[in-house]
Amino acid sequence: MRITRREAVAALGAMALSPGLAAAPPVTEGHADVPGGRIWWMKVGGGGGTPLLTLHGGPGAGHNYLLPLRALADQRPVIFYDQLGCGRADSPADEKIYTIQRSVDEVDAVRRALGLDRAILFGHSWGSMLAIEYLCQGRGKGIEKLILGGALASIPQAMAGQQRLIAAMPNGGGARMHALEKAGKTDSPEYQKLVQQFYDLHVCRVPPTPDALATFDNLGKSIAYRVMNGPNEFTITGVIKDWDRRADLGRIKVPTYITTGAFDEITLDCHQTIRRGIAGSRLEIFAGCSHLTMIEQPVRYVAALRRFLGA
């Protein structure tokens, strides 16, 4: 995929968003009531394009790592929000409220609070699950386009792919990881080092930016991550562990763009399943990237999204 000089300059200029620049898009933020508490939201830009509503991953990652998408605010409002249980949103202690259905209802509550009768939906990782579930439930009135990154339509399929990646870790790292799990030593420094090795290969392949670090901090603190996902990215034992919408993807009728990195922890077969399931959808694989493509290659990623949004 080639990026023109004009696209690169536009992306870099918009990413700066320095308060000292007169051309910086306006930023507004606030809180909105949702089932179970209040979430925090931020809207960047106010152009004439259809607003882009972003759904972050985790559950519990927070909005921070998606901030490179601010570059798109020169043409349309870009809305970020921290879902309940992480970041600047409320984090109720009652574990029973952290469900997929409540999260779907939360999307509707955010749309109502911000007047998003029309929107383009962007979902990454768990956010892609949330977007798929939302549309499969028939909640998509006014959703004009869909972007899914690091995407999956089935937790069992994604977990099987992750186990293949673990088995392929260098120097027998995967086998050693499973041995430590069997021995109950997942809190050991050796196990944590192997987990980090997996993350360096398949979650973020560049030194993490401050936004990425903020997201990792969110995950470490998030009750939503612990209850809905589990202890780490490839040990999914929480509420979402059996979720599977592969048979229902045909219900999604909007133009859809799917992105993944060549080394993504959500393996290629997961993305291909979505491409086959959503008629007319398009899949793009970003060479050299893993799960956090927007952190690893932000200019290239934003340019690709801009082309889809302008289509």
Side-chain angles (χ1 to χ4, degrees):
M1 179 178 60
R2 298 181 62 186
I3 302 172
T4 67
R5 182 177 183 277
R6 177 173 169 272
E7 287 172 330
V9 170
L12 285 170
M15 278 178 196
L17 290 177
S18 168
L21 295 177
V27 178
T28 56
E29 61 180 85
H31 291 84
D33 292 326
V34 300
R38 291 196 316 160
I39 60 89
W40 171 89
W41 59 266
M42 177 174 68
K43 181 170 74 171
V44 183
T50 301
L52 180 70
L53 176 62
T54 65
L55 306 178
H56 66 68
H63 75 285
N64 308 78
Y65 76 104
L66 298 180
L67 285 174
L69 274 60
R70 290 176 300 182
L72 299 167
D74 59 339
Q75 295 180 335
R76 68 191 68 251
V78 180
I79 294 120
F80 305 91
Y81 76 94
D82 286 342
Q83 300 162 22
L84 204 70
C86 72
R88 298 173 66 179
D90 290 348
S91 292
D94 182 3
E95 296 184 2
K96 294 190 296 295
I97 71 171
Y98 296 101
T99 67
I100 294 172
Q101 189 58 54
R102 194 216 61 80
S103 299
V104 169
D105 295 339
E106 180 180 273
V107 176
D108 268 341
V110 171
R111 288 186 66 187
R112 285 193 300 269
L114 297 179
L116 298 177
D117 297 330
R118 297 167 50 246
I120 295 165
L121 208 54
F122 174 96
H124 180 262
S125 195
W126 146 254
S128 75
M129 293 173 51
L130 182 53
I132 288 170
E133 183 67 28
Y134 184 78
L135 294 174
C136 284
Q137 288 190 18
R139 306 287 191 100
K141 183 178 179 181
I143 299 298
E144 297 180 357
K145 293 183 178 182
L146 175 64
I147 302 169
L148 301 172
L152 61 155
S154 165
I155 288 290
Q157 183 183 24
M159 289 180 67
Q162 288 174 327
Q163 288 304 312
R164 293 194 299 272
L165 295 177
I166 288 172
M169 287 174 65
N171 303 316
R176 181 57 183 160
M177 185 181 293
H178 288 320
L180 291 168
E181 289 167 348
K182 187 175 181 179
K185 296 182 178 180
T186 56
D187 290 333
S188 68
E190 183 183 7
Y191 185 80
Q192 295 306 315
K193 183 177 180 180
L194 289 167
V195 169
Q196 188 60 52
Q197 183 181 357
F198 178 89
Y199 289 175
D200 292 343
L201 288 169
H202 300 296
V203 176
C204 188
R205 294 172 69 88
V206 300
T209 64
D211 291 333
L213 289 172
T215 282
F216 299 150
D217 185 57
N218 286 338
L219 288 169
K221 296 176 180 177
S222 173
I223 183 173
Y225 187 77
R226 175 172 58 81
V227 173
M228 296 184 71
N229 186 85
N232 59 43
E233 290 294 285
F234 48 81
T235 309
I236 303 176
T237 55
V239 168
I240 65 175
K241 64 183 175 64
D242 297 319
W243 180 83
D244 195 322
R245 279 288 194 174
R246 284 177 287 187
D248 304 314
L249 291 169
R251 299 180 187 180
I252 300 175
K253 305 295 185 182
V254 297
T256 300
Y257 177 50
I258 308 156
T259 73
T260 183
F263 301 96
D264 201 331
E265 66 168 340
I266 308 299
T267 49
L268 181 59
D269 59 306
C270 297
H271 297 83
Q272 291 171 328
T273 292
I274 298 171
R275 180 183 56 78
R276 289 191 297 266
I278 302 177
S281 62
R282 182 161 64 92
L283 169 63
E284 187 149 357
I285 303 167
F286 288 76
C289 292
S290 59
H291 196 50
L292 300 187
T293 314
M294 65 292 298
I295 294 292
E296 294 163 321
Q297 295 189 15
V299 172
R300 183 181 173 195
Y301 193 73
V302 166
L305 297 193
R306 193 182 295 278
R307 283 194 289 273
F308 173 72
L309 293 171

